[in-house]
Amino acid sequence: MLIELDADERGKIEHVKALNSVWLEAAERNVEGVTVRNGKANFNARTYENYYGEDSISNDFWVDLLVELDEETLKFLKQRNVPNIGERLE
């Protein structure tokens, strides 16, 4: 089934797609075992486990990742004059 989208709907999807790319880059920079190739994230559990060990959930990289995701999201939205993503998707 093919769904037809108008220009506004296509624009919304493109914004989310571009924002997703920013999030993937942040994950790659902050989490060992995450690589991004051709716009797709790959996760190597072995690399992740070897680097972080059993206590990985308590490491600061999660905080760093979330802070960067927030900062990059706000920067992305500001560059596009969008006060918040919810408003853009309405």
Side-chain angles (χ1 to χ4, degrees):
M1 176 177 181
L2 184 62
I3 299 173
E4 287 196 37
L5 303 173
D6 63 25
D8 185 57
E9 291 167 323
R10 282 192 302 275
K12 290 175 182 180
I13 290 171
E14 288 302 316
H15 271 97
V16 171
K17 184 178 174 184
L19 183 54
N20 185 62
S21 293
V22 171
W23 291 340
L24 288 176
E25 292 168 8
E28 185 176 39
R29 282 191 300 272
N30 288 282
V31 181
E32 286 296 319
V34 174
T35 56
V36 178
R37 288 190 183 91
N38 299 322
K40 295 183 181 180
N42 297 297
F43 179 69
N44 184 315
R46 186 170 303 188
T47 300
Y48 176 88
E49 179 64 30
N50 288 341
Y51 187 84
Y52 297 109
E54 293 178 11
D55 299 320
S56 63
I57 199 73
S58 66
N59 285 328
D60 288 340
F61 81 90
W62 286 113
V63 174
D64 296 340
L65 173 61
L66 294 176
V67 167
E68 184 172 344
L69 288 175
D70 184 57
E71 290 171 353
E72 291 296 327
T73 299
L74 293 175
K75 184 169 65 174
F76 175 90
L77 295 174
K78 185 177 181 180
Q79 289 171 343
R80 287 156 181 82
N81 296 316
V82 178
N84 68 61
I85 194 69
E87 179 181 293
R88 180 63 180 126
L89 298 177
E90 289 177 351

